[in-house]
Amino acid sequence: MLQLPEQVTIKEVGPRDGLQNEAKRIETEDKVAWIDHLSESGLSYIEISSFVHPKWIPQLADAKEVAEAIKRHPEITYAALVPNMKGLERAIDTEIDEVSIFMSSSETHNKKNINKSIEDTYPVLKEVVEGAKQADKSVRGYVSTVFGCPYDGHVPVEQVLHVCDRLFEMGIDELSLGDTIGVADPNQVDRVLEEVNKRFSFDRIAMHFHNTRGMALANVLVSLQHGVTIFDGALGGLGGCPYAKGASGNLATDDLVHMLNQMGIDTGIRQDKLLVAASYIQSKLDKTLPSHQMQVTNRSS
Amino acid sequence: MLQLPEQVTIKEVGPRDGLQNEAKRIETEDKVAWIDHLSESGLSYIEISSFVHPKWIPQLADAKEVAEAIKRHPEITYAALVPNMKGLERAIDTEIDEVSIFMSSSETHNKKNINKSIEDTYPVLKEVVEGAKQADKSVRGYVSTVFGCPYDGHVPVEQVLHVCDRLFEMGIDELSLGDTIGVADPNQVDRVLEEVNKRFSFDRIAMHFHNTRGMALANVLVSLQHGVTIFDGALGGLGGCPYAKGASGNLATDDLVHMLNQMGIDTGIRQDKLLVAASYIQSKLDKTLPSHQMQVTNRSS
């Protein structure tokens, strides 16, 4: 009955989206060792840090040092977030493989996050995309609050699609649709993807779910049924939810890989190696990681 | 694209399946007050305890006192588990509405749980079902380890269906298929339900998922797509997993209700009242409840 893709690509965003929401500062060498562990797991994509101004996210102030110290595998794409031309220059200096840009689909979240209206954000990103392309970098776009905004509430799908259009027009290669606060339910994902599918090809669309309300894997399932084959995850569920401290945040890569591997969908990722990487970063934090796989691992050992 | 039922019945098994796996002994009056809270939430079915021998499950030794002290709402079915004729007599004395019987679909789990082979379990249950019917009680059957056994591993679907056949032949009214250790993935649920559907009508089949590996709500989604409309839950994810202490156990009723309500599927249950009941029982335990809704509630308050 279920019609699902045979193969899925998982993009690890834990070193950026996970760590940026962790209170405890992780040493540069520990980040590097962690990313090197991740590189051994079969992942084909790792977002390693963010070249935002250090005062915004002190945890990621060492983006350059991390980018230069990790052991790069030629078959893995190492990416980093950049907010503007300054960030792009720093990123290009490190010979990162891909840059990612970000904005929200809701006005208030965009203003609080980027300090600009949606309209005023486009020219900044356009400049970055053009600069990245000139430097021969591929570009990934993140759109936040696709399924709901902590300030504006409901976000109309037309508004989301308009932002997506504008980003694709700039020349980005792939778009990641984010359920930033983990409110999407499978019916909503179903409806949104039906609209997305009318406009864009799913080989350029990734889904980025948060598990705040426990629905992330159900949302993955309905996305798979639509033909989505690219998903973001943060190892161990690292990061938490900035709007409900201590609650689940990013969909855990290990929970996602576990489900897909069980289902016989090829991810190319070895769960045992992922859990080694998860245990490593957990040992550097003052908490246990919230993913289901790590909860079971912690309790069994 | 998703074809889903408009209405779903949720059966609360927390006071039995949840509490039996909690180490801390809860006072009888606290159980009663908790069940009274649950009765206010719109639930139509609550399994309140188990009439097993007190030495097996000391936590539920007060089944009779609980059954007699709770405030019964005429529109709610109050049920209790019974393992044998002795338990049935005690249950009938309390004028419980429905009794449930249980066995495993895997040989070793059945032996460890019931101390009998599967074949030797049937006559014991048959006697109970006949006795219950004579007393005008409806009977629910639980089949455990449907998607995997902690001892035997894979459980062939034919073996599960054979157990189901035998139980329906005894005259039970409904069957709850249990993923006792939380290993089912959506593809497996899809395959099993396809076989179940060939043999039985879904108006007599309930799904009982555990969230040990985080896949419970994804499994609910695929079950809904097959037309299943009855699901078991334990409030707050009470109970944990007996095979990995501290990890998630039963699918949390509040997580299930939250998802279904968000999806526009009618459950008849008020989430706010459920969370009042969850906060109440949490205050009597030495831990926070692991459900996503309670994690968000605890962190926000």
Side-chain angles (χ1 to χ4, degrees):
Chain A
M1 178 183 178
L2 291 177
Q3 299 290 326
L4 306 174
E6 287 174 14
Q7 201 170 355
V8 155
T9 301
I10 294 171
K11 304 204 165 179
E12 173 61 43
V13 299
R16 192 272 304 172
D17 199 17
L19 279 190
Q20 76 179 20
N21 287 311
E22 290 296 335
K24 188 184 170 190
R25 200 76 151 264
I26 304 296
E27 298 293 333
T28 304
E29 64 185 55
D30 295 335
K31 292 176 189 169
V32 170
W34 178 42
I35 294 167
D36 287 346
H37 274 300
L38 287 169
S39 293
E40 299 292 335
S41 69
L43 281 161
S44 57
Y45 189 102
I46 306 172
E47 194 178 57
I48 60 161
S49 192
S50 174
F51 288 92
V52 298
H53 195 287
K55 84 170 175 206
W56 290 3
I57 307 175
Q59 174 77 274
L60 302 182
D62 57 1
K64 182 172 183 293
E65 290 72 21
V66 169
E68 287 171 351
I70 54 171
K71 200 185 299 164
R72 302 216 191 162
H73 295 223
E75 71 280 14
I76 299 177
T77 301
Y78 297 93
L81 206 70
V82 300
N84 50 32
M85 287 306 281
K86 188 85 190 274
L88 179 66
E89 282 157 28
R90 290 173 62 215
I92 288 173
D93 277 350
T94 67
E95 293 179 10
I96 200 82
D97 298 319
E98 178 169 298
V99 300
S100 21
I101 57 170
F102 61 99
M103 64 180 293
S104 301
S105 55
S106 59
E107 200 61 56
T108 311
H109 189 265
N110 199 68
K111 274 199 190 110
K112 296 225 182 211
N113 236 24
I114 305 187
N115 213 19
K116 282 189 179 57
S117 71
I118 285 180
E119 204 51 47
D120 291 345
T121 304
Y122 293 131
V124 179
L125 299 187
K126 188 163 189 282
E127 200 185 6
V128 172
V129 175
E130 285 169 358
K133 289 289 165 184
Q134 276 162 21
D136 244 0
K137 305 293 176 195
S138 53
V139 182
R140 179 175 222 229
Y142 287 102
V143 178
S144 306
T145 63
V146 166
F147 298 92
C149 171
Y151 312 108
D152 298 345
H154 174 70
V155 181
V157 64
E158 275 311 315
Q159 190 173 319
V160 173
L161 293 174
H162 181 73
V163 172
C164 298
D165 274 337
R166 296 289 295 264
L167 291 174
F168 274 128
E169 280 163 22
M170 292 176 195
I172 66 165
D173 300 278
E174 181 179 297
L175 198 58
S176 172
L177 300 176
D179 180 21
T180 311
I181 52 172
V183 293
D185 68 70
N187 262 340
Q188 191 188 6
V189 173
D190 185 43
R191 286 193 304 271
V192 169
L193 287 182
E194 216 163 290
E195 296 307 312
V196 168
N197 195 25
K198 290 178 189 162
R199 204 94 67 109
F200 311 112
S201 163
F202 277 138
D203 57 7
R204 302 175 76 192
I205 297 289
M207 299 305 290
H208 179 111
F209 291 117
H210 280 217
N211 202 31
T212 321
R213 295 289 186 171
M215 297 182 286
L217 287 178
N219 290 333
V220 167
L221 182 63
V222 64
S223 304
L224 290 169
Q225 292 183 260
H226 275 274
V228 173
T229 59
I230 313 167
F231 294 93
D232 297 351
L235 189 65
L238 200 80
C241 173
Y243 304 96
K245 284 288 174 212
S248 302
N250 278 283
L251 169 57
T253 309
D254 41 326
D255 286 343
L256 177 58
V257 168
H258 174 269
M259 184 173 89
L260 296 174
N261 285 357
Q262 285 291 113
M263 292 171 78
I265 295 172
D266 180 21
T267 63
I269 298 168
R270 282 186 53 180
Q271 180 75 346
D272 57 339
K273 301 248 181 179
L274 266 193
L275 293 179
V276 168
S279 295
Y280 178 82
I281 190 65
Q282 179 175 263
S283 74
K284 305 297 174 191
L285 292 162
D286 293 331
K287 65 173 200 181
T288 57
L289 289 172
S291 72
H292 287 272
Q293 313 319 309
M294 282 301 286
Q295 291 295 315
V296 172
T297 301
N298 290 333
R299 306 313 167 140
S300 310
S301 59
Chain B
M1 178 185 178
L2 290 177
Q3 299 290 326
L4 306 174
E6 287 175 13
Q7 200 170 356
V8 155
T9 300
I10 294 171
K11 303 203 165 179
E12 173 61 42
V13 300
R16 193 272 305 173
D17 199 18
L19 279 190
Q20 77 179 19
N21 287 311
E22 289 296 336
K24 188 184 170 189
R25 200 75 151 266
I26 304 296
E27 299 292 333
T28 303
E29 63 185 53
D30 295 335
K31 292 176 188 169
V32 170
W34 179 41
I35 294 167
D36 287 346
H37 274 300
L38 286 169
S39 292
E40 298 291 335
S41 69
L43 280 161
S44 57
Y45 189 101
I46 307 172
E47 194 177 56
I48 60 162
S49 193
S50 174
F51 287 93
V52 298
H53 195 287
K55 83 171 175 202
W56 292 3
I57 307 175
Q59 174 76 276
L60 302 183
D62 57 0
K64 182 172 183 292
E65 291 72 23
V66 169
E68 287 172 349
I70 55 171
K71 200 186 296 164
R72 301 217 191 162
H73 295 223
E75 71 280 12
I76 300 177
T77 300
Y78 296 93
L81 205 70
V82 300
N84 51 31
M85 287 306 282
K86 187 84 191 273
L88 180 66
E89 281 157 29
R90 289 173 62 214
I92 288 174
D93 277 349
T94 67
E95 291 179 11
I96 201 83
D97 297 320
E98 179 169 297
V99 300
S100 21
I101 58 169
F102 61 100
M103 65 181 292
S104 301
S105 56
S106 59
E107 200 61 55
T108 312
H109 189 265
N110 200 68
K111 271 198 192 111
K112 297 226 182 210
N113 235 23
I114 305 188
N115 213 19
K116 283 188 179 58
S117 71
I118 286 180
E119 204 51 47
D120 291 345
T121 304
Y122 293 131
V124 178
L125 299 187
K126 188 163 189 280
E127 200 185 4
V128 172
V129 175
E130 285 170 358
K133 289 290 165 183
Q134 277 162 20
D136 244 0
K137 305 295 176 194
S138 54
V139 182
R140 178 175 224 231
Y142 287 102
V143 177
S144 306
T145 62
V146 166
F147 298 93
C149 171
Y151 312 107
D152 298 345
H154 174 68
V155 181
V157 64
E158 275 311 315
Q159 189 173 320
V160 173
L161 292 174
H162 181 73
V163 171
C164 298
D165 273 336
R166 296 289 294 264
L167 292 174
F168 274 128
E169 280 163 21
M170 292 177 196
I172 65 165
D173 299 277
E174 182 178 296
L175 199 58
S176 173
L177 300 176
D179 179 21
T180 311
I181 53 172
V183 292
D185 69 70
N187 262 340
Q188 192 187 6
V189 173
D190 186 41
R191 285 193 304 270
V192 168
L193 287 182
E194 217 163 288
E195 295 307 312
V196 169
N197 194 27
K198 289 178 191 165
R199 204 93 67 110
F200 311 112
S201 163
F202 277 137
D203 56 7
R204 303 175 75 192
I205 298 288
M207 298 305 290
H208 180 110
F209 291 117
H210 280 218
N211 202 32
T212 321
R213 295 290 185 171
M215 297 183 286
L217 287 177
N219 290 333
V220 166
L221 182 62
V222 64
S223 303
L224 290 169
Q225 292 183 259
H226 275 274
V228 173
T229 59
I230 313 168
F231 294 93
D232 298 350
L235 190 65
L238 200 78
C241 173
Y243 304 97
K245 284 288 172 209
S248 301
N250 279 283
L251 168 57
T253 309
D254 40 326
D255 285 343
L256 177 58
V257 167
H258 174 268
M259 183 174 89
L260 296 174
N261 284 356
Q262 284 291 112
M263 293 172 78
I265 295 173
D266 180 20
T267 62
I269 297 168
R270 282 186 53 181
Q271 180 76 347
D272 56 341
K273 301 247 180 179
L274 266 192
L275 293 179
V276 167
S279 295
Y280 178 82
I281 191 66
Q282 180 175 262
S283 73
K284 306 297 175 190
L285 293 162
D286 293 331
K287 65 173 200 183
T288 57
L289 289 173
S291 72
H292 288 272
Q293 314 317 309
M294 283 300 287
Q295 292 295 314
V296 172
T297 301
N298 291 333
R299 307 313 168 140
S300 310
S301 58

